[in-house]
Amino acid sequence: MKQICVVGVGYVGLVTAACFADLGNRVMALDVNEKRIENLKKGIMPIYEPGLEEIVERNVRGHRLSFTTSYSDALKETEFAFIAVATPSGVNGEADMQYVAVAAQTIAETMTAPLIIINKSTVPVGTGDWMADIVKKYQPEPIPFAVVSCPEFLREGTAISDFMQPYRTILGSFNHEAAEKVAQLHLSLRAPIVITDLRTAEMIKYASNAFLATKISFINEIADICEALGADVKEVAIGMGYDKRIGPAMLDAGLGWGGSCFPKDVKALAYMAEENGLDPKILNTVTITNYERRRVIVKQIEEMLGGLQGRTVGLLGLAFKPNTDDMREAPSIDIAQGLIAAGAKVRAYDPVAMENAHHLLPAIETTADPYTLARGCDALIVLTEWNEFKNIDLEQVREAMKTPVILDGRNIYDPVEMRALGFTYRGVGRGFYRK
Ligand code: NAD
Ligand code: UGA
């Protein structure tokens, strides 16, 4: 049984801690947020992630998983310390490294035995070397340590299965023995393990996220062209996806990407390029066109309603994607604010993100279910493709609405069926739009 410590108990840290415990390791998960740790000790999850509560509960019961706010408790008898703290966007798009710096410094000040420090946070290329300097600087006396980069590729909403069945494990270090030891921890996941140097591992993470974001921005541009020319982007994506060189994933056209990662990571990669005298035209355009979609959707609903002043618009979904309560960089925030600025009254329903919405969008009214949401609305906009919305009784929705207008930002409904049901319906890139 290996003893592991995970620093930062957010989306990545809690999943990492719970999954490593489930693989038979003894894991101590540490966070500076006392309330979060207090709640976890009582079995209260800090985030909504399907399957996470059961796995945490099972491993706490099995004495493989515990929680603490004390670095010295967490590092006692530990050979591996995973860092999974946030790296949000700084003012100029750079990654804000304050949390990683504090974590590295505190580890250095607290460690009493040799340690492998493994970075799971998404960090700028060169961070591994920088962290090693911090650890050396703050160790009261020299104790051997190694830094390994092990970027995380999980997605929110499917985090447990993504962690347990990864496409690959990437490890970067100048200390091959340390990288091999970390590889051993991942062997039972049965995925290819790539061992490389620190900077290359750090770059693989940014390049992967930037590529996926680019793929989405690309299909969104194709969607706009489809709409102008009368083609259906959903079928175009299916047709393209059969080509193994393209693949079907990340080709859902819609409102573009949001969340805590693509926006900040594409910006951070562009920042790194610019800092080094390069002009990352593709990355910058991918971001600009992504945010443009949020403005366009407000214009489209305005056009469908012939103006937004005094109109009531209902938002189906607030989370940046389904199966999460995360609203960081969610398109819903900009869209709700755009609608309000244009004079509309905005109401919303989301199966799990409403608590977060109360803080981020205090001006909107939230409702208990989609049917109450529809009551008296001039239009509905689908912002998140929750399964619950795919299966709602659309006739009941139509009856409740003041005017049956739906702008489907995630293409969850069939345009022909929607029109047959009596809706004025517009999807994204689904053939010529006709009023
Ligand atoms: P998060 O904000 O959900 O969690 C970070 C946690 O770290 C918080 O609980 C915070 O209290 C804690 N923390 C901050 N400073 C600390 C310190 N000095 N010591 C101990 N704990 C500390 O963040 P997240 O979404 O889990 O992301 C973490 C990192 O993983 C980021 O770099 C992100 O880019 C990357 N990542 C995230 C995802 C994702 O889906 N969220 C996926 C892959 C990679
Ligand atoms: C993304 C990556 O998929 C993960 O591999 C990575 O680990 C993570 O970022 C990270 O670094 O944090 P995540 O943000 O959880 O994961 O969600 P995705 O499912 O990738 O969706 C991101 C955004 O793109 C969402 O807003 C989603 O609505 C949008 N999207 C996704 C589309 O618009 N179309 C698609 O086809 C797929």
Side-chain angles (χ1 to χ4, degrees), residues 7-13 30-33 36 71 84-87 99 102-103 120-122 152 154 156 205 260-261 264 328:
V7 177
V9 189
Y11 284 90
V12 169
L30 166 131
D31 206 290
V32 287
N33 183 330
R36 190 163 271 214
Y71 269 84
V85 298
T87 49
Y99 305 106
V102 172
K120 267 217 165 290
S121 296
T122 303
E152 180 51 61
L154 64 77
E156 291 177 22
K205 174 62 192 176
S260 67
C261 291
K264 80 171 172 65
R328 289 179 284 183

Side-chain angles (χ1 to χ4, degrees), residues 153-156 205 209 250-252 258 261 320-321:
F153 297 96
L154 64 77
R155 290 161 298 175
E156 291 177 22
K205 174 62 192 176
N209 270 7
M250 313 306 270
L251 285 181
D252 290 334
C261 291
F320 84 97
K321 60 182 263 188

Side-chain angles (χ1 to χ4, degrees), residues 209-229:
N209 270 7
F211 182 79
L212 296 173
T214 304
K215 202 171 171 189
I216 299 167
S217 287
F218 176 84
I219 199 68
N220 283 332
E221 190 157 307
I222 295 295
D224 293 344
I225 303 172
C226 282
E227 195 158 305
L229 301 180

